[in-house]
Amino acid sequence: MREPGEEDGGVLVGGDAYGGVRLTPATRPRRPVRSAKARRRNVIVAGVLSTGILVTTGVVWATPRQIGTVDAGVTAPKSQGAENILLVGIDKRDDLTRQQQNQLKLGRESGQRTDTMMVIHLSEDHQRVTVVSLPRDTWTTIPGKGDHKINSAYQFGGPKLTMQTVKAATGLEINRYIEVNILGFIDVVDSLGGVTVCTPIPITDPKTGLNLPAGTHQLQGAQALGYARTRATARSDLDRIDRQQQVISALLNRALSADTLANPAKLAAFVNSTLSTVKVDPDDGLIGLASQLRDVSLEDVRFADVPLANVDFKAPTGESAVLWDRPAARDMFRRIDADQDLAKPLPTKSATPAPVKTVVPPESVTVKVMNGTLITGLGARTKSALVASGFKVPGVPGNTDKKDHKQTLVRYAAGQEAAARLVASVIPGAELRQADVEGVEVIAGSDQPKIKKLKQPDAPTSKPSATPTTKTAMENICKK
């Protein structure tokens, strides 16, 4: 608290680091103009924090006292070298008015809960950032509390228990904890004039008030938050992770545009709105981390997902959850801990490499089922048969608008042909067609083919992949 007559510090943040932000009048001597490179570094720091990914290339404008602190009990980061960062997005709505709650379709529950969890690895050479999104529905052991969804850890024990839970699940030592209020994300997006996103399918979600046709859209803050949070698509939380990564990439792309960097007012609004949403542990602000990441660009930021064994797990509590593929996840986090690039295949020990198997394991294929006829229960029977063959079919089968499908159709997105062919191989007479859909989709026709059991190969299919699927931040940006 300032004493009477004491001068303002330039940027004022609410007492819990989630409050409003305002710039005080410039009564002090003006600071020297920063170089374009320095401004670019500042924007990357702010952009990353505001969306849940810590990618930066320089020193932030804010001093440590301008960023809130929290005690998460992390292992102190080194002055240089590799770091593991846990970033948690908190849904904190206590300070919202009833009008704001209704406008944002958030409900009126008090308290805080984790909405997003990400583990971020900074490589030792400071050239790579690997971001792994942890599904909030992950069924795991919370130390001292038993088995629950991973996002329950914050409700049970706040930042410390959250950090301990992630450490136990991943085997990684956490060097830094960053907490972001996702509701402050609205002001961040609005400060940039919105972000561009693209969805291959229409999304209608009364819970978030989102109604988007398929295609590319320019979204303002409230809409962008709804897009990043909605679960109203076939793969629920897993689709939401993909959308969050897309919004992060789009926001960083907008923040680094010439329109933002060359506009002092927009730049200041963006940086200040971002810093108001953040709490950190340790309490050194982000100066040390920023200095380590001065050479990182969007091409060096790579997203990865935790390998999953069951996306439709029914917990003993009756909740719907997801289970990790433990061997594959353990392999991925072991590689991260060893500072290996996930995009590069592991070297083979054999002088003569073994032939590569091209067969896709059914447990790695997620299928959406639709009933394309008026035959009652056809969608449910088709789902049961596909599940019996080893495929993942989450959710309840839907119905197509037209009910005149005579031939069963397997549709697939670009890059999903191998998975679609595997699905079609167990459906005699099914038509295979690439379409503008997510993943693989089966439309059951009136031919009602008898789905065959998939013959399992002799070799085990649960062996972790040597090269996890990853994508860069640039790949997540909508192509114009």
Side-chain angles (χ1 to χ4, degrees):
M1 181 179 295
R2 290 181 292 118
E3 296 297 331
E6 183 181 348
E7 194 173 27
D8 282 335
V11 179
L12 298 184
V13 182
D16 62 354
Y18 291 144
V21 180
R22 64 183 177 85
L23 294 175
T24 58
T27 57
R28 296 187 284 185
R30 183 170 298 177
R31 296 179 179 177
V33 177
R34 296 180 181 270
S35 67
K37 185 175 182 180
R39 293 197 303 270
R40 180 182 177 87
R41 292 173 181 173
N42 296 338
V43 169
I44 296 181
V45 174
V48 168
L49 291 175
S50 65
T51 52
I53 298 293
L54 196 54
V55 182
T56 171
T57 58
V59 179
V60 297
W61 284 345
T63 61
R65 71 174 181 83
Q66 293 170 321
I67 301 177
T69 60
V70 63
D71 181 11
V74 301
T75 302
K78 302 174 183 178
S79 58
Q80 58 183 359
E83 278 194 26
N84 294 315
I85 303 148
L86 174 60
L87 193 142
V88 177
I90 300 299
D91 178 351
K92 181 178 184 293
R93 59 189 74 173
D94 302 44
D95 298 332
L96 296 180
T97 65
R98 180 164 295 186
Q99 181 180 1
Q100 289 172 319
Q101 291 173 342
N102 292 335
Q103 180 184 3
L104 298 174
K105 308 286 186 179
L106 293 174
R108 297 169 186 170
E109 299 91 347
S110 60
Q112 300 182 32
R113 52 197 60 80
T114 54
D115 196 75
T116 302
M117 299 180 73
M118 299 178 180
V119 173
I120 304 145
H121 176 78
L122 165 64
S123 66
E124 186 173 3
D125 62 6
H126 308 163
Q127 298 299 310
R128 291 179 287 106
V129 174
T130 303
V131 181
V132 182
S133 298
L134 308 183
R136 56 177 278 179
D137 291 342
T138 295
W139 192 255
T140 191
T141 300
I142 297 179
K145 300 295 181 179
D147 291 343
H148 297 274
K149 288 185 179 181
I150 198 168
N151 70 334
S152 299
Y154 196 97
Q155 293 171 287
F156 285 135
K160 282 189 176 181
L161 188 56
T162 300
M163 191 275 295
Q164 293 167 6
T165 301
V166 172
K167 180 179 177 180
T170 64
L172 297 175
E173 197 70 40
I174 303 299
N175 307 115
R176 191 179 297 271
Y177 174 91
I178 300 177
E179 184 175 298
V180 179
N181 178 17
I182 62 170
L183 300 184
F185 168 80
I186 296 173
D187 293 334
V188 175
V189 173
D190 286 339
S191 72
L192 291 173
V195 292
T196 303
V197 302
C198 42
T199 173
I201 59 172
I203 302 176
T204 301
D205 184 3
K207 291 183 178 180
T208 63
L210 194 68
N211 187 7
L212 292 179
T216 300
H217 303 276
Q218 178 77 9
L219 304 182
Q220 298 304 311
Q223 272 190 308
L225 178 62
Y227 180 77
R229 299 187 69 189
T230 181
R231 304 171 75 174
T233 51
R235 296 171 67 241
S236 189
D237 192 46
L238 304 182
D239 283 341
R240 188 172 77 153
I241 287 175
D242 292 339
R243 283 189 291 272
Q244 287 177 350
Q245 292 176 354
Q246 182 189 127
V247 170
I248 289 165
S249 300
L251 185 57
L252 287 173
N253 187 50
R254 177 62 64 89
L256 292 172
S257 68
D259 179 58
T260 300
L261 294 175
N263 187 326
K266 179 180 287 189
L267 195 59
F270 172 59
V271 172
N272 291 328
S273 62
T274 297
L275 294 177
S276 71
T277 71
V278 178
K279 289 183 178 180
V280 299
D281 183 20
D283 61 358
D284 63 349
L286 297 169
I287 303 299
L289 180 61
S291 64
Q292 293 191 58
L293 292 169
R294 62 174 60 89
D295 297 322
V296 175
S297 69
L298 291 188
E299 292 287 0
D300 303 316
V301 182
R302 190 165 290 275
F303 298 97
D305 297 327
V306 177
L308 301 177
N310 189 347
V311 298
D312 199 19
F313 174 69
K314 295 300 180 184
T317 58
E319 300 172 275
S320 295
V322 298
L323 294 179
W324 292 6
D325 181 338
R326 292 187 180 276
R330 185 167 54 247
D331 178 73
M332 182 181 73
F333 286 116
R334 186 185 298 118
R335 292 187 61 184
I336 290 174
D337 192 44
D339 207 33
Q340 296 176 356
D341 188 348
L342 295 184
K344 295 181 179 179
L346 290 173
T348 178
K349 295 180 180 179
S350 173
T352 304
V356 178
K357 293 185 177 181
T358 59
V359 178
V360 178
E363 62 268 22
S364 70
V365 179
T366 300
V367 184
K368 178 182 178 181
V369 172
M370 302 284 285
N371 186 350
T373 73
L374 293 173
I375 302 172
T376 302
L378 179 58
R381 294 197 299 274
T382 303
K383 171 181 175 175
S384 297
L386 289 171
V387 169
S389 287
F391 297 99
K392 298 175 183 176
V393 190
V396 178
N399 298 291
T400 58
D401 294 333
K402 295 183 178 180
K403 312 296 183 182
D404 57 353
H405 288 267
K406 295 181 179 180
Q407 184 180 13
T408 296
L409 176 63
V410 178
R411 305 198 302 175
Y412 62 93
Q416 296 291 316
E417 183 176 359
R421 288 190 180 280
L422 183 66
V423 174
S425 71
V426 302
I427 309 178
E431 179 186 354
L432 194 65
R433 183 189 305 169
Q434 182 174 337
D436 189 14
V437 297
E438 286 188 313
V440 179
E441 178 182 276
V442 172
I443 299 178
S446 57
D447 55 348
Q448 302 185 64
K450 184 176 181 181
I451 297 177
K452 303 182 298 183
K453 287 286 185 70
L454 188 66
K455 184 178 180 181
Q456 298 297 325
D458 295 333
T461 59
S462 60
K463 183 178 179 180
S465 171
T467 308
T469 301
T470 63
K471 52 192 173 185
T472 69
M474 290 300 295
E475 291 175 291
N476 277 327
I477 299 173
C478 297
K479 299 295 188 296
K480 295 184 179 179

